[in-house]
Amino acid sequence: MLDLLVTHASLPDGRRNQSLAVQAGRIVEVGEGLQAPAHETLDAQGLLISPPFVDAHFHLDSALSYGLPRINQSGTLLEGIGLWGELKPLLTHEAIVERALRYCDWAVARGLLAIRSHVDVCDDRLLAATALMEVKRQVAPYLDLQLVAFPQDGLLRSPGAMANLVRALDLGVEVVGGIPHFERTMAQGADSVRWLCELAAGRGLLVDMHCDESDDPMSRHVETLAAETQRLGLQGRVTGSHLTSMHSMDNYYVSKLLALMAEARLQVVANPLINITLQGRHDSYPKRRGMTRVPEQLAAGLTVAFGQDCVMDPWYALGSADMLEVAAMGLHVAQMTSQAGMRQCFEAVTSAPARILQLEGYGLAPGCHADFVWLQARDPVEALRLRAPRLRVYRRGRCIAQAPSQTTQIHLPGRPDQVDWLAKN
Ligand code: FE2
């Protein structure tokens, strides 16, 4: 007797009318027209069953703090950094935990079941790291939370940051972060990259740095990051987040850089909602978009994900844990409107970040965890178009979130009673 049998599912790879058999929290079989007795059945009605959304770049320590202690009036990065500095001394363990748990509720409701969150370690108390370690333990049954030790005020620039970062890793924070472009000089930025990569190599940890988050085409720490990745044998274990300076770099230099990044198997996370609002602020017109070169990175064979980065915090007043919103923004900013490009945008919030986080048992193949989302859309492109409602969210074969399908009654003579949002073909 199966625990769960899902029938009439469309899958993200285009297969239709598929059944998924679930036993003991794992998918045991996938195929057309499977029949077997099960404790629970779900008729997906031809709609999309997708692996859960994954966010490869988030800041859970600041999420949902919007308005504390005051609102970012200008909406700029610099005012946001100043605001975070004002808020940090006022933070409490309980408040961070409470806000983070609330955000994780939102995430589950949106089918987002794995998050890599940077956590600011430039604080001798390690308040946020300690609080998020507790949150990680609490949410573990329903959400994979991976934490990055992030020296937000600069590894070399902020006194005590190196020691605090190592202490955070000792606490169980599992990924090494960095912010080389925020150090005082280019040389110090490069030094920080070397030090952090050596630390990660020595401890067998993954690396994910905020890197070159500016419009300065000469901000080239990604080059050092890729070179250090190769020197230390960290291929496939290092992520460059943001990489917005690549938008503004000289095309010849980028052609050389992309080859180096590909050799290092560097992974990339772009954060389209944040990059499109925070970059290009010193421009008049034409105004740069600021997002990194996603289609070119994909063409070079790199794994590229889209991250949410911020939700209702000093840097961004909006957001709701909706990775379809993130992917849709990425699609527009990068002009990825081809059929293949739109599907890649869906992958950038599902399978690509799952690879970056090195999630075990992710996907819809036999043997994978029975984690999936039933969407009110027939395929990934329609899911992006509609920011499709998540009708049900499953974790280890158990339904952990459920929403009614979206319907609107219309009262128009000669027209149907309800709006039908789904494509006809
Ligand atoms: Fe970030």
Side-chain angles (χ1 to χ4, degrees), residues 57-59 118 150 210 213 241-242 271 274 309-310:
H57 190 109
F58 195 60
H59 294 264
H118 296 255
F150 176 41
H210 284 66
E213 189 181 2
S241 278
H242 290 290
N271 299 295
I274 306 307
D309 202 2
C310 302

Side-chain angles (χ1 to χ4, degrees), residues 59 61-62 84 88 91 96 117-133 147-156 158-179 183 195-196 199 208 210:
H59 294 264
D61 50 0
S62 55
W84 179 239
K88 260 206 273 192
L91 292 172
I96 296 172
S117 173
H118 296 255
V119 51
D120 188 356
V121 295
C122 290
D123 158 32
D124 291 339
R125 301 170 299 167
L126 289 182
L127 194 70
T130 314
L132 291 190
M133 282 300 295
L147 299 177
V148 185
F150 176 41
Q152 183 142 8
D153 299 332
L155 180 79
L156 302 172
S158 170
M162 286 164 134
N164 288 339
L165 190 142
V166 170
R167 281 172 54 220
L169 297 178
D170 290 340
L171 276 179
V173 173
E174 59 223 292
V175 182
V176 175
I179 185 162
E183 305 293 351
W195 191 87
L196 289 161
L199 180 69
D208 188 339
H210 284 66

